[in-house]
Amino acid sequence: MGVIPFPVLSIITWAPFVGAVLIMFLARHRPLAVRLIALVTTAISVVLSVFIFVVYNREAAGFQFHEKYPLVPPLGIAYEVAVDGMSLLMVLLTSIIIFAGVFASWTVTTRSQEFYALLLALVTGVYGVFVSLDLFVFFLFYELAVLPMYLLIGIWGSSGQVRPRGIFGWAFRETGVGSKEYAAMKLTLYLLFGSAFILVGIFALYVSAGTGSFSFLELEASSFPPRLQFWVFLAFYVGFGILAGIWPLHTWSPDGHASAPTAVSMLHAGVLMKLGAYGVVRLGMGLLPDAAVELAWLVGGVACINVVYGALSAMAQTDLKYVIAYSSVSHMGLVMLGAATLTEAGLNGAVFQMFAHGVMTGLFFALVGLVYEKSHSREIFKMGGFGRSMPGIATAFTVGGLSSLGLPATAGFVAEILTFMGAWQSTHPWWLVPAIAGTFLTAVYVLRVTKQIFWGPPSPHFDHLVDARGPEWVALVLLTAVIVLFGMVPALAIGPVDTATVPLLIRLMKP
Amino acid sequence: MPLGAYLTLAALVFAIGLFGVLTRRNAVGILLGIELMLNAVNINLVAFARFHADLAGILFTLFTISITVAEVAVGLAIVIVIFRVRRTVEADHLDLLRG
Amino acid sequence: MSALAPFALEVGLGLLLLIVFGAGLVARGEDRRGIAWLATGGVLVLAVVAMFVAPAGPALGGMFVQDGLAIFAKRLFLAATFIGLLAGLSGPDRVFARRAAEYHLLVLASLLGMLVLASARDLILLFLAFELMSIPLYVLAGFLKRDPGAVEASLKFFLVGSVSSAVMAYGLSFVYGATRTTDLAKIAAVSEGNPLLTLGLVMALVGFAFKIAAFPFHMWVPDTYEAASTPFVAWLSVAPKAAGFVALFRVYFEGGGERAAAWAPVAALLATVTMLAGNLMALPQQNTKRLLAYSGIAQIGYMLVGVAAASASGTAMVLFYLVAYVFGNMGAFLVVEALARAEGSEATAAFRGLAQRSPLLALAMLLFLLSLGGIPFVAGFWAKLYVFWAAAERGLYWLVLLGAILTVVALFYYLLIAKRMYIEEPERPGRVPVAPTLAWSVALCALGVVLLGLYPKAVVMAALRVAAPLF
Amino acid sequence: MTARVGADDLALLVLGLPFASFLLLALVRPLRRSAPAAAVVSIVAMALAFVAAFLTLQGSVRRGAAVSPSTTWSWIPADGGPMATVGVMVDELSMWMLLLVTLVSLLVQVYSWAYLADEPRSSLGRYYAYHSLFAFSMLGLVLSPTFLQMFIFWELVGLCSYLLIGFWYDRPAAARAAVKAFWITKLGDLGFVAGIVMLWSVTGTFDFWTLFTMGSMGTLPVEALPPIMFLIYLGAVGKSAQFPLHVWLPDAMEGPTPVSALIHAATMVTAGVFLVTRAFPLFRLTPDVLTLMAWVGACTALLAASMACVEADIKRVLAYSTISQLGYMMTAAGAGSPEAGFLHLLAHGVFKALLFLGAGIVIHVFHTNDVFRMGGLRRQAGVWLPFLIATLALAGVWPLPGFFTKEAILADVLEVRRWGPFVLLAVTAFLTAFYMFRVVFLAFFARPHGRRHGEPHVPLAMSAVCWLLGALTLALGLQQAFLSGHHEAGGPRWLPWLSLTLAGAGIALAWAMYHRGAIAPARVAALLGPIDWMARRRYGLDALFAGLYRGLLLALARLIGWIDRYLVDGVLNVLSAWTLRAGDRLRGLQTGQPQDYVYGVAFGALLLFVLAHWRLR
Amino acid sequence: MTAEMLAFAGVAVVLLASSLGVVLTPNLFHAILYLAVALVATGVVFLLLDAPFLFGVQLLLYAGGVVTIVVFAIMLTERLVGTSIRQTSRYLVNGALVSLAVFVGVAGFLVQAPPSAPRPAWPGDLTVAVGQALVGAFAVPLELLGVLLVIALLGALYFARSEG
């Protein structure tokens, strides 16, 4: 690989942002222009993501496409970006999801200009987190990725029907559970709450390292005292874990995802939750190896709860979006579990699961959005027989569902089997049990939902349902194809990922 | 008399002044309490100045006395304007703004 | 002439006071807004001049010093005053037109107090400047003297203020008594610990805490802010507080010498309770000005986090925070003013659907709120970050964590306003009319917030530079 | 070596043809939408695959076994060599299985064209796409050189089964059955995947050949093996419908009959037996698992047979019979001779497919599944002869293949002195003859019930396929009887007579009860009261699973869902509500009374005093 | 028991008593009279501290000026309200406890203070020194004080004048 003569990562990262700015200034009251700008700028990111995915040098491994511009030299803050095998895959995932998301939200009518602008700004944040090597800039991007969510959900979201009941009913009434404002506020505050921990953790590392630099590479080279590592790891775990939906800090996710508009759910469940797991792996494990080993029991144990608990909760839901949202909780458990195994298989599985689940859940939310748009309902038990009128959606849903339950030839399987392998190899072999139980429970609720919605006699509540159309197909086909492609040829992803996880493991296992 | 005696006397006057501020219902009464508190400050300053044989304390006292006068003038003006608008002198009744 | 060099700004302001006074004597008729323009223009000129003022050595036998910190602070005061006066130019209340001379004389006198306070390195001068700054504020708070709320606010402000300054004076008397001097430089040199010195500084802190409105000395704040005229409140909420902080630095850090670090726990405690109380009490507010008042108290708590660092960088970061706060907080108040003039309501409900009615005004408000909330790419983020940073450097992780978590609580109420603006539908259609001068002042604040957000470096560097000699 | 490469290539071709057909049908919408084109593509691909499979067998039989029959490529890379590989394993086992799968698939696809002629065209395209996918998956399973690949295709055939059972997805029963089939087999698969993961972590490989080599060299950690093999066996239990996971198979009959013939009789359900056979070198190392397998197999055989005896639905009878026969095969494996089981598998594949396809014709004629509403078919359709041949084969009557393979199994079971399973199997043999002839007598020989829509038309494709399979069954039997030296397998001399007697007795009883009417079925039922009662209720197993699902799983889910919403999230909301309340409460400090504000100052000063006393020393 | 001590004790008693009178008497006029006494007593304390100049200032500015303003204010407001102003107290116990606590807090520090040296002699004439300082180093503060007083008066005037 020769040196690429342009700052490819920066272009990938900032193209959507430029798109957002253009949309704000050039496309007032011109919906088509809004969409075209969004499409073009995300397409640039997609093409370049695929490009770097292809030309990434797997032999050399490590961080590549490095760019560095000092921002505040006295404080050691620099704009430093690069990707290794792990972030490479995440960048690709982000590209796929946002590209599909632009298509999936083609039909947003109210205030579409602001919608796309916020969405694109958000995406820049996500890209930024994945490519940043400077922890400070990382944090900035992280915030950028979280904040637009409030307005995106608040304005374009939809309210659910959660009733304030139970012994804490009064509290629900006071907080206004069920409304989209509630969900937006909960999500934003929860994630910012997490970012408070992250910030403190980053500072602690910065101060302790004493190198006067926020560069990941420099911090990686310094070793931190075990006590500090312990606390900082906990801070990172809680901070990023909230975003990754760890139990019991996950409750923002069902409400948030259920209330969010389609593209936002796609992006949030598909990419942002991964961002949490990515943070734990990249910063938690990468910088704090001793604590990562010491606290693996915690990460893995909580992940086990996540897997089973999330799946059972998903099973209990009657609102389609909540089902998908809880399935994300369950699958993020698998991601964290894979990471906690501290084995090559498990870690590869975790990263692959991030990718697989990202695409899959993106697909799910796109589909739910379509179903909702056409039927104006998310109540599973009112629906039925939609397969007849929307076979395309049904097929895509089935593929997504199968990936979710880990059916071979879909990306989900590779991720799960690797996680299982890692789990049994880890120091806590019993983790295999909840992991496997989770896949069964997933099979139960996914197929139950599929059957209820798409199979059976057509529901009397609905008529004139139509299948996906035009741009919507692009999203569905793209996501489905990715799921299957990576399920059949996992080496595509595992190859680069392995080059990133193995050095990480070597660091972790160093006595 | 040792310095401590003067300081204690000042502290007592200060506390009495504070007591007045806390307990008088009448706005003018409250002002009188503040006067006492500032008076205590002056006793303190002069005592210190005398025991250190230092001029700064005396000057300080001069300034505080003058500032106090200004403060009292403004305070009383506020009381008058309140009387005019609210028809009351009772501080307790001045709770339009709260929460 | 060179003897006057350190006093250039004060002398200039004195001249302006005289001019305005004279104009007030000469002016006739109901509308005396010319005086307002005069005063505003004068402050602008002074602000411009302040940009070129160079540090000078101590004057008046060390009583007065025109060092970097003083200049930094004075620029801030002048800028804030300019924005505040500019916004007030178009005030609809008749009293501002008729009594423009009084109003501006009071403001300028208070400003003079601030300028001197920033330079005062002697307890006597400091106290005098402090009072010169405060006393006009009591009058200004009740400037709408027909308004039952305003006069009540004025009384409360006066009462708490004069008790606090009595306590402060009492404390300063002990400081003097313990150190036998009123010169801060000499006080700093006193090395042995004296209980009377501690007592004095603790009691003096009451005065400062009142001025910066730390909990529980803050209680005048919400009432005063709610009732007084908004452009004045916008100014009141930033300039005197900034002055309070500068004086605080002078007395406790510059005058603290070796003992400066001993004040860290006190500041940390004050920071903790202030952040907690401010944020929590802001939560249930329905009146935007009250909400901003409590949020302002919380902001003070964050600044105290920087003070708790008791280090040069901490001090610098508080200075930076003050700059960010000036723009963010004033901006927010001024938007409230704009809306209140159009809607006649200061309730948060008045913000409904603002984004659809006046997108730019809503955007400006959003920027201010985000800045106050500490969100990246606007000034407030760096401000919070830097004070946290400074505290973290001193190992105050718990305080940083608490502050960061309370930031989230704060976002709750900031976002509620954002929700009103962006998510809810407007109650009535049509653009919100904004007077040009008010629009300009809002724009200035927005510009400040954004510029500082994008490029904080210059101000941070300046703050670091001026804070370093204190330690 | 070149010869082996040829066999691999052929095997890949066998694999690739249905896959290509699937891709074409799945991706090219017009092709899928036009039924004839879809059918032609699929059938042609299948025919070619059959030819290729045949050639593979031809080629390799002549050349004999080689060192390693598998060829693999890296699938999941890892730092120190691939973590998982995929490839093909061409040995005798897989080649025979290939032949069976391709043959039955081909015939069933041809048959389906006529059987499903009334379906909407687009559905038919979907049907053939599923079929191609199934063929691909089953062939992939058969050719798997590694456990992982086998699991992959194992799951894929499960998927196809699910899709095809639910082919008529708007019928609630079909939808339910499809889901049930998936869930129950998935339960077994959990064991399978756990097993292979554990096996991988103790041996570092999924590869059969490597594992066998390790086994023969004694480098396998045998002490770790029993739980692993047990778990893997669980996979086979689910897929091959062994007790207690057999409950899905009868319900799977909701799918189109050709699907039942192909997937739920001839091929997919035998995957479990195939797995055990394939991995037998490993199972051999764990005698306890084998014992369990034998007992479970035998019990399954008997249990299923008893349920078949009381079932009225012709397809369900056949389904129970399939379960029963799968029990036979598993018992054989459990008794240490998977070869016998495998032979039974092959033969059973042929004649059970025939039975189902024949039943399909019967159903086509009567428009009902209920045997008691059929009758008199003997005179009309030419289908009864092939059906009868298959029935006799299943009942184990000389000289049909069922006789030989079943006897071989019995002989092997006897040889290892597993008397219990032997007795169970023997009784099963009797019952098999009985219930099959019960169906034959009721459907073909009884007086016609109800009205008939004139002369039933049986499409040529359907009857031709049946005749072909009938001929094949006969040929297989005759080949066994006369061409190959059958009796070298051993077993006592009385064994053939015993099984013939049992078969005869069963046929006779069925004749007496359902043709002659000499014995009233009701009296027999009364005589066998509790057993009859239990069998009719399927031994409560369906109810048990339904109960577990509803009473345990869904209830638990609701509980967790409630906990999550109202407790876990509740705590969060309580915290935020408390924060809001705290703000409101704290706001009460701001009484509005001026002097209270002075109190604030005073308290603040006191606070600072205290702090100063405490910290500023 | 020196004469100075006696004088101090006497003044202290008068000062404290009159201070208490200020804060306790129900009649506002009495309170002002007590205040005047207290202020004069304070002046006497200044005398005891050898600051006769301050005694004068105290008498003129405070006892004279302040008391007069207050009386004016009271008369003004009383006329407005129309009744004689009686004043009551609120939460006496609370107020007493808090102010006592403050006193104890201050005293707690005072008792820890190192004993003071006996008072030294004044180096020169105090009044002259004050005068020199006010036109010398303290000229600028004096100017500022002037500004302060003017502004305070301006403010007071603004409030006090009634506008039609």
Side-chain angles (χ1 to χ4, degrees), chain A residues 101-408:
Chain A
V102 168
F103 283 106
S105 42
W106 204 262
T107 47
V108 166
T109 47
T110 47
R111 297 160 82 179
S112 64
Q113 182 197 7
E114 289 154 286
F115 178 81
Y116 274 98
L118 285 170
L119 191 65
L120 292 180
L122 176 83
V123 170
T124 288
V126 178
Y127 277 126
V129 170
F130 287 133
V131 300
S132 292
L133 277 187
D134 186 276
L135 261 52
F136 193 85
V137 177
F138 174 96
F139 183 78
L140 290 185
F141 279 122
Y142 183 91
E143 296 272 312
L144 181 62
V146 169
L147 283 162
M149 209 55 93
Y150 180 71
L151 292 180
L152 281 169
I153 296 177
I155 300 178
W156 294 276
S158 54
S159 296
Q161 291 112 20
V162 179
R163 273 201 299 282
R165 283 188 312 203
I167 53 171
F168 297 135
W170 59 271
F172 285 106
R173 266 186 294 277
E174 279 181 27
T175 50
V177 71
S179 67
K180 61 183 182 183
E181 289 87 357
Y182 167 82
M185 185 66 86
K186 187 179 190 176
L187 181 143
T188 315
L189 293 190
Y190 227 137
L191 299 192
L192 289 177
F193 177 77
S195 76
F197 285 88
I198 297 171
L199 185 64
V200 173
I202 289 179
F203 273 147
L205 292 187
Y206 174 82
V207 173
S208 168
T211 52
S213 165
F214 279 102
S215 171
F216 177 81
L217 298 174
E218 289 188 33
L219 291 174
E220 197 183 24
S222 46
S223 64
F224 302 99
R227 218 179 115 71
L228 180 88
Q229 283 201 29
F230 181 86
W231 289 110
V232 174
F233 187 87
L234 271 187
F236 281 157
Y237 179 56
V238 170
F240 287 115
I242 286 176
L243 190 50
I246 59 165
W247 186 88
L249 306 175
H250 65 280
T251 55
W252 59 270
S253 119
D255 285 335
H257 292 163
S259 297
T262 301
V264 176
S265 302
M266 288 172 69
L267 206 62
H268 206 281
V271 187
L272 258 85
M273 288 182 90
K274 276 74 214 169
L275 213 144
Y278 175 83
V280 173
V281 174
R282 171 70 83 215
L283 297 191
M285 297 185 170
L287 295 179
L288 310 161
D290 300 343
V293 175
E294 192 185 342
L295 284 169
W297 64 270
L298 175 72
V299 179
V302 172
C304 288
I305 299 179
N306 258 56
V307 172
V308 175
Y309 180 96
L312 282 171
S313 298
M315 211 184 289
Q317 305 303 317
T318 57
D319 181 315
L320 184 52
K321 270 198 153 182
Y322 274 96
V323 175
I324 310 300
Y326 274 106
S327 97
S328 294
V329 173
S330 174
H331 280 89
M332 287 312 293
L334 278 179
V335 172
M336 298 301 277
L337 183 64
T341 62
L342 305 179
T343 59
E344 189 185 356
L347 218 50
N348 285 349
V351 179
F352 198 87
Q353 179 78 278
M354 291 191 215
F355 181 79
H357 175 251
V359 177
M360 176 198 95
T361 210
L363 175 63
F364 264 143
F365 277 116
L367 289 164
V368 176
L370 291 178
V371 170
Y372 180 69
E373 187 196 311
K374 294 170 201 309
S375 70
H376 300 288
S377 172
R378 295 186 337 214
E379 277 300 303
I380 296 168
F381 292 96
K382 276 192 190 154
M383 304 188 210
F386 285 10
R388 178 71 62 199
S389 43
M390 33 178 88
I393 291 177
T395 309
F397 196 93
T398 309
V399 173
L402 295 174
S403 178
S404 170
L405 60 83
L407 194 94

Side-chain angles (χ1 to χ4, degrees), chain A residues 400-484:
Chain A
L402 295 174
S403 178
S404 170
L405 60 83
L407 194 94
T410 60
F413 170 71
V414 182
E416 285 183 9
I417 190 87
L418 283 171
T419 308
F420 297 162
M421 287 157 74
W424 189 256
Q425 271 193 325
S426 75
T427 44
H428 306 268
W430 61 269
W431 285 348
L432 182 64
V433 178
I436 287 187
T439 66
F440 178 70
L441 296 173
T442 308
V444 173
Y445 69 77
V446 165
L447 293 186
R448 182 160 167 257
V449 165
T450 314
K451 173 185 139 224
Q452 184 62 41
I453 297 178
F454 295 107
W455 291 17
S459 163
H461 299 285
F462 305 97
D463 52 354
H464 307 304
L465 293 174
V466 285
D467 209 353
R469 283 169 302 193
E472 295 160 358
W473 271 116
V474 179
L476 302 192
V477 170
L478 173 68
L479 295 174
T480 317
V482 170
I483 289 178
V484 176

